[in-house]
Amino acid sequence: MAFDSLSEKLNSVFKKLRGKGRLSEADIKEAMREVRLALLEADVSYKVVKDFVKTVSERAAGQEVLESLTPAQMVIKIVNEELTNLMGAKNASINLSPKPPTVVMLVGLQGAGKTTNGAKLAAYLKKSTGKRPLLVACDIYRPAAIKQLETVGAQLEIPVFQMGTENPVTIAKAAVDHAKKNGNDLVFLDTAGRLHIDDTLMDELKNIKAAVNPDEIMLVVDAMTGQDAVNAATAFNDALDIDGIMLTKLDGDARGGAALSIRAVTGKPVKFAGIGEKLDQIEVFHPDRMASRILGMGDVLTLIEKAEASLDEKKAKEMAEKLRKNKFTLSDYLDQLIQLKGMGSIQDILGMLPGMDSKALAGANLDDKALIRTEAIILSMTPYERENPNVINNSRKKRIAAGCGLTVVDVNRLLKQYEMMQQMTKQMSKGKLPAMFGGGKAFGKKGKKGRFPF
């Protein structure tokens, strides 16, 4: 996640505070100095950092905190609340028109991921609200921009409206008329970006805005560009009066300052976040949950939502019954891995659990090739062997290995991992980490690259 470095530094500050028991004003002052440095290193705007530290310092220096039995926890609570306020306090929803279609105008610099993430957003709203989106190709300048939109539209089963290199204003107006006639109640205008902000770009966007009067002007910005993203947001907001922001590449190795600065600088909320390259990797941006992640307090609500969206309810009930009867087979094992992979990387999933060190989990990802190997091995077994792995002797292992083009060592490794998974399922009733999330044993030892669960 973009905030890993910041999270590590802030938790180091809080660890020192916890070790002191009672706090003095000098302790608070030193802690706030370190918080200020951590935020500046994360590329948060200087003015934003200055105001943030001032507010936290004033609250933390109060008698209620200094005389508290757990002052360190009180300071963390204050920082959590102020981080949440900094990012917008509550999540803001997209503006939906009471009279369809709702027109969403996507704007931003070239390279921010506007085309792909706009399509992701359309797919997310299609799934979550049952609406019928239409993607519109208004970028007539970038080579292959129209083709790219048509490709992602086809993958997401969302229609694309395009008129080649016709004037973008004409395209936008025609698209809205097309949507009204064909029952599309959401229209996403994928406008042209530029490598930098210029008057020509802004004039074209202003003309499109005047022509179709969009319900939502959403600025798409690359979180990895730091203060450049904030500067771009300021310029677009001054010219177009944007309604909301989508941060992309929030899963990258960025310093994260844009997410913390952009709302404070522009006054406009971050509404969505792109968290990966896959077409379903988009999230509603919740300031309180993001603050909780930054402070290492987890994000269990988002984890639950991911599970509900990714896991098959019927299969989950069947699995629960099998676990209760201790009948966890290799077929079940493969099903579980495939469903778990649909939730994203193991690092991201475990990083949402309170107290997990996301940096220590680096590299703990489901390897696509390893999943293919696992599937090949299990499918090379007979149905009887999958249901009764204990019958797989050396001769059966050789036959299975030959059938999938792998080695007996690969088969042995899989069977060993299956045994580990079986052991973890037995711990579920003892209040330990569910098998669904792998437990800790499936990861490599400290200092080694962990891959779950291969």
Side-chain angles (χ1 to χ4, degrees), residues 44 78 119-120 135 161 167 190 215 217 219 233 251 303 346 385 393 407-408 413 416 431 433 442:
V44 180
I78 291 168
K120 284 185 189 181
L135 298 173
F161 182 90
N167 184 287
D190 180 32
D215 303 284
I217 299 179
L219 174 66
D251 58 315
L303 181 57
I346 296 299
E385 288 168 341
N393 54 25
T407 67
V408 171
R413 185 184 297 118
K416 179 65 178 175
L433 189 65

Side-chain angles (χ1 to χ4, degrees), residues 175-186:
V176 173
D177 289 338
H178 176 86
K180 290 176 181 177
K181 293 174 183 174
N182 291 273
N184 298 105
D185 46 12
L186 268 177

Side-chain angles (χ1 to χ4, degrees), residues 166-212:
E166 184 63 68
N167 184 287
V169 177
T170 303
I171 296 172
K173 290 169 68 176
V176 173
D177 289 338
H178 176 86
K180 290 176 181 177
K181 293 174 183 174
N182 291 273
N184 298 105
D185 46 12
L186 268 177
V187 177
F188 286 85
L189 305 179
D190 180 32
T191 66
R194 298 288 192 278
L195 292 175
H196 57 84
I197 294 167
D198 59 55
D199 292 337
T200 304
L201 165 66
M202 288 305 182
D203 286 343
E204 179 175 288
L205 296 177
K206 288 176 184 176
N207 291 336
I208 294 175
K209 177 182 178 181
V212 299

